Amino acid sequence: MSGPDGIDIPADPGPRRLDIPRGGPLDGAGEAGGARTAREARAHLRVTDCPPRPPDGDEHRPLPEGPVTREELALLRRVYRPVPGYAGMRERLRRSHLLALCGEPGTGRAWTGLALLADLADGDDPAEADGQAGRDVVRLGPGALSGLLTAPQTERGHGYLLELPADETDPGPLLDRLRAHFAERAAFGVVVVPGGPAADRLLGARRHAVPYEPPAAAEVLDQHLSDLLADKPAELLDLARATAARPDVADALGLDEPRPAEAARLARHLAAHAEGRLSGEGLLERCRAFAPDQARAWFDGAGRPGTLPAALPALRTAALRIALAVFDGSAHSLTAEAAELLTWELAVTLDPQYAPGRPLFAARPGAGLAAVRAVCCDGVEDLGEASVPVRAVRFQGRRLASAVLCEAWDGHHNVRGPMARWLRALCDDPRPQVWVRAAVAAGVLCARDYLYGFVELLLPLARADSPVQRMAAATALAEAARDDGVRPAVDGLLRGWALGDDERERETAALAHGYGLAAGSVQASLEELARLAYADDGRITSYSVLRLLAGTEPEAALAALTHWLHDTRRPRRDLALLTVLRAVTTRTSHLWGLCEVPELEPYAAWPLATALLAARPGSAPQLAELLRVALTWARSAAAAEDALVGWIRRAARDDRQLAVLYGFLPRLAHDGDEPLDVRAATRIREVLEAL
């Protein structure tokens, strides 16, 4: 019998029956629901979204302590606009002499505090006549708060801006004494308190504290732009405003809404660009630094205090940020549980003698999300045959997930060990909503440091007894291979595993090639799978070829299948037969990969063969020839008949699928040099007559 390209197909090689493997390599654990999870993981975590860690800059250095300069107070008067509740804050500060503003860093708490103090502090002129320093508003650092109580230099009528120390977990008594101190001297104090347990205690007790609501970022941006370009031609301000609204600027920024401090910083960049002092690419480069700078600021403060149990709140917040980087957009319950698991790993690394527990009723569901710039939203989790609504959680900015994950990995070496143990454990979870996310994250981190990731992530996963972990290793390898510098190492590793004696490593290699990334091309992966077929019964290699058939280059997969049928080597012929038979029995959504295939999305619930015929009609001749061979060879005929009959019966429940098959079956029956086997033709006719 001749194939469609005129090459003779070898005769049926023997009587041994060929059986179709049921399910995938994970016995169903990795297929159902994996498609949506993989798509969302790719959207939130990408190798290309992790730029090299930049050198330390000036953006997050603390402001200078001491009297606030005349220039800063003048700028404050020009650009500051009262936040919601400002009048009430001012009156409360006037009466009690102390006010704690509870909110997240970068939201404008310090500027609001300075504005309140400038309003209330005594003095005819807020600055010295020589313009050097203000007489009545002073900024002090975190270490000065407790020392101020005994310091003799607290001036009558002056205002003091202070910051609560990071290790202060119960600040109520301290603030009580500080209030009395200021009241005695007719002075005023504003204390900025970051969100967390200390702020929760103050707000819960209603002692001196108010929740701080930041101003709208757009208003802050416009005020600063107007001030920076006040003495410039009006068209420059228009240009800066138009640039701020450009999609490429918003994409480079990667934040849903900048915080006030970020809006002021962005205004400086936009003004420099409008004046020609900063190029367009330079502007985008500076915008792309916002999310990494936020991640750096978060983790630079996560190590204070450095002992347990005082460090546990900071560790829990850091763990939530890292967990959200991996599970961005996932169900809140998955993210919260992953964060608690990572908190434990971090805590026992910091102090192996301390076994941290979990607070049971200390926090409301979703508490602490403001500290990680996250919000809850409505979401959907795919279970394969159905989807369920969930309460999801996501970062307020698409670049934050990659920035957080890469900053924790690149900037804090001792965090790598607990992160690696945590990811390996998540990769053993049978739910694809968990292990797929963890595997993609592991791949991104391996691309950052392959030597470390290979030993701590890839090798333990590939050699594990758990098939889920081996599939996770394959996924991580494929994701890491997106990086051009890492791909040759991944390719060489998989070649070595394919030639080795370890069955688990060979299986991982076969699974990794199913993504079509590790060898540099789909064609190269197909060639590697053909070699691996000699050491495999077809269950793993045919599954990986099937995934390539459902991928971005089905033409290459079909050409390889047709070529293998012409081959005189039985393993390759069997690989082709098993793949084509699985194509008519396997749901398309179970064959997800790491690259988008939008043309198959409308047919995700259909068998792959039907989906290909609908999305790519040009594949019909090759599919027909492959199925004809399977139906006419004795070894595969029975399995092919069963598969084809089941295929038709499933299509009968959907008019759209049935229409596709009605157009395809005549081609199957009449193409080629030999008629279809009589028994197979009879069974197909009986099924069609029964519909």
Side-chain angles (χ1 to χ4, degrees):
M1 184 172 71
S2 298
D5 54 2
I7 300 176
D8 290 337
I9 296 177
D12 182 2
R16 182 172 64 86
R17 177 187 170 106
L18 200 64
D19 294 321
I20 306 174
R22 297 298 177 186
L26 308 183
D27 296 324
E31 294 86 0
R36 179 188 291 273
T37 306
R39 182 168 59 250
E40 292 181 350
R42 293 193 309 271
H44 294 105
L45 270 186
R46 291 178 291 189
V47 171
T48 53
D49 273 352
C50 285
R53 192 174 192 263
D56 290 330
D58 298 329
E59 299 300 341
H60 294 288
R61 290 183 181 175
L63 293 171
E65 297 185 28
V68 179
T69 64
R70 177 181 182 179
E71 289 78 13
E72 188 173 353
L73 289 175
L75 175 63
L76 178 71
R77 292 189 181 92
R78 292 197 307 271
V79 302
Y80 182 77
R81 293 296 178 270
V83 298
Y86 182 86
M89 295 179 195
R90 184 181 185 280
E91 179 60 22
R92 188 166 180 174
L93 177 60
R94 187 190 65 78
R95 287 188 289 104
S96 67
H97 294 267
L98 181 73
L99 185 68
L101 296 179
C102 300
E104 295 307 313
T107 54
R109 300 166 305 160
W111 271 63
T112 294
L114 289 177
L116 290 167
L117 294 171
D119 277 355
L120 292 176
D122 288 343
D124 296 331
D125 189 342
E128 296 289 349
D130 61 3
Q132 295 302 310
R135 289 201 314 261
D136 46 15
V137 180
V138 181
R139 182 191 291 113
L140 298 175
L145 194 148
S146 58
L148 191 65
L149 294 172
T150 57
Q153 68 267 27
T154 302
E155 299 284 351
R156 180 181 180 84
H158 281 54
Y160 296 85
L161 181 69
L162 305 112
E163 183 178 348
L164 188 72
D167 57 354
E168 186 65 58
T169 58
D170 187 12
L174 175 62
L175 295 191
D176 286 340
R177 298 195 303 273
L178 197 62
R179 188 207 65 78
H181 175 82
F182 283 131
E184 181 182 347
R185 291 161 176 76
F188 302 94
V190 173
V191 183
V192 292
V193 182
D200 292 343
R201 287 191 179 94
L202 288 174
L203 293 171
R206 300 180 182 273
R207 296 168 68 178
H208 320 302
V210 295
Y212 178 77
E213 181 181 345
E219 181 179 341
V220 175
L221 178 66
D222 198 67
Q223 286 296 129
H224 279 268
L225 281 176
S226 299
D227 181 71
L228 289 166
L229 299 171
D231 58 348
K232 305 295 180 182
E235 56 265 24
L236 292 187
L237 179 59
D238 293 338
L239 174 60
R241 287 169 172 165
T243 304
R246 278 175 17 196
D248 60 334
V249 172
D251 179 71
L253 201 61
L255 303 172
D256 290 358
E257 181 178 1
R259 286 179 169 174
E262 293 166 337
R265 173 182 167 191
L266 178 60
R268 295 194 295 272
H269 298 327
L270 290 168
H273 174 262
E275 293 179 283
R277 295 183 287 110
L278 183 64
S279 68
E281 183 52 42
L283 173 64
L284 297 180
E285 182 180 352
R286 283 163 174 74
C287 288
R288 283 190 286 268
F290 274 57
D293 283 346
Q294 172 66 95
R296 177 180 295 188
W298 277 338
F299 288 115
D300 282 350
R304 301 187 297 270
T307 58
L308 295 175
L312 203 53
L315 292 183
R316 183 163 275 114
T317 300
L320 179 58
R321 287 170 177 145
I322 296 172
L324 187 56
V326 175
F327 291 92
D328 194 13
S330 292
H332 179 268
S333 59
L334 296 181
T335 308
E337 178 61 21
E340 288 294 342
L341 294 173
L342 181 55
T343 298
W344 191 90
E345 290 286 357
L346 294 173
V348 297
T349 300
L350 181 62
D351 184 354
Q353 304 301 317
Y354 186 89
R358 298 188 182 191
L360 296 178
F361 302 106
R364 305 177 308 277
L369 293 184
V372 300
R373 292 185 80 160
V375 291
C376 284
C377 55
D378 294 332
V380 174
E381 289 289 0
D382 184 13
L383 302 181
E385 299 297 330
S387 297
V388 293
V390 296
R391 188 168 72 102
V393 60
R394 66 170 182 86
F395 274 123
Q396 292 178 297
R398 74 165 193 84
R399 289 189 181 271
L400 285 171
S402 296
V404 165
L405 194 69
C406 295
E407 172 61 25
W409 189 256
D410 293 345
H412 306 273
H413 177 81
N414 289 339
V415 175
R416 289 186 174 193
M419 282 181 65
R421 293 191 297 273
W422 173 67
L423 287 172
R424 292 200 306 264
L426 293 177
C427 285
D428 198 25
D429 193 303
R431 295 170 294 180
Q433 295 82 5
V434 177
W435 78 257
V436 173
R437 290 276 195 162
V440 171
V444 170
L445 296 179
C446 287
R448 304 290 290 181
D449 187 342
Y450 181 78
L451 291 178
Y452 187 95
F454 171 71
V455 173
E456 298 295 332
L457 287 169
L458 298 175
L459 204 57
L461 290 172
R463 291 178 175 174
D465 292 331
S466 164
V468 178
Q469 286 185 304
R470 293 196 294 275
M471 187 68 177
T475 306
L477 282 161
E479 181 63 33
R482 291 183 188 275
D483 187 288
D484 293 339
V486 172
R487 187 182 304 118
V490 173
D491 186 27
L493 174 70
L494 297 185
R495 288 176 184 271
W497 283 357
L499 297 172
D501 297 328
D502 191 309
E503 182 180 351
R504 295 167 301 181
E505 292 179 353
R506 288 199 305 271
E507 178 182 305
T508 303
L511 291 170
H513 283 300
Y515 292 106
L517 297 169
S521 68
V522 171
Q523 183 60 44
S525 286
L526 287 164
E527 292 171 1
E528 290 300 315
L529 287 168
R531 297 187 185 97
L532 281 160
Y534 290 89
D536 177 48
D537 61 2
R539 180 169 176 265
I540 301 299
T541 49
S542 65
Y543 177 77
S544 288
V545 176
L546 196 63
R547 295 181 87 171
L548 295 175
L549 185 60
T552 57
E553 300 179 39
E555 299 84 0
L558 286 170
L561 292 171
T562 304
H563 178 74
W564 294 338
L565 281 180
H566 306 156
D567 203 298
T568 58
R569 291 163 286 191
R570 176 179 287 185
R572 298 195 178 203
R573 291 198 301 271
D574 286 353
L575 179 57
L577 291 169
L578 287 172
T579 302
V580 72
L581 294 182
R582 296 182 82 168
V584 302
T585 61
T586 305
R587 179 184 169 115
T588 301
S589 63
H590 290 185
L591 300 168
W592 52 270
L594 295 176
C595 298
E596 295 292 340
V597 189
E599 59 268 28
L600 292 183
E601 284 295 321
Y603 316 107
W606 294 10
L608 176 60
T610 320
L612 284 174
L613 290 169
R616 298 177 179 266
S619 64
Q622 287 172 295
L623 277 175
E625 185 59 39
L626 290 165
L627 282 171
R628 281 174 55 80
V629 172
L631 285 164
T632 53
W633 280 5
R635 290 179 57 243
S636 57
E641 290 170 20
D642 291 341
L644 196 61
V645 168
W647 187 29
I648 297 170
R649 283 177 174 160
R650 280 192 298 274
R653 299 192 290 266
D654 182 342
D655 289 343
R656 293 194 305 155
Q657 292 189 56
L658 197 59
V660 172
L661 258 65
Y662 275 153
F664 174 74
L665 290 175
R667 180 187 296 273
L668 176 65
H670 299 297
D671 281 0
D673 297 334
E674 296 182 11
L676 196 62
D677 180 83
V678 175
R679 189 179 71 169
T682 301
R683 288 192 66 189
I684 294 172
R685 183 169 56 252
E686 289 173 350
V687 172
L688 291 174
E689 290 174 351
L691 296 180

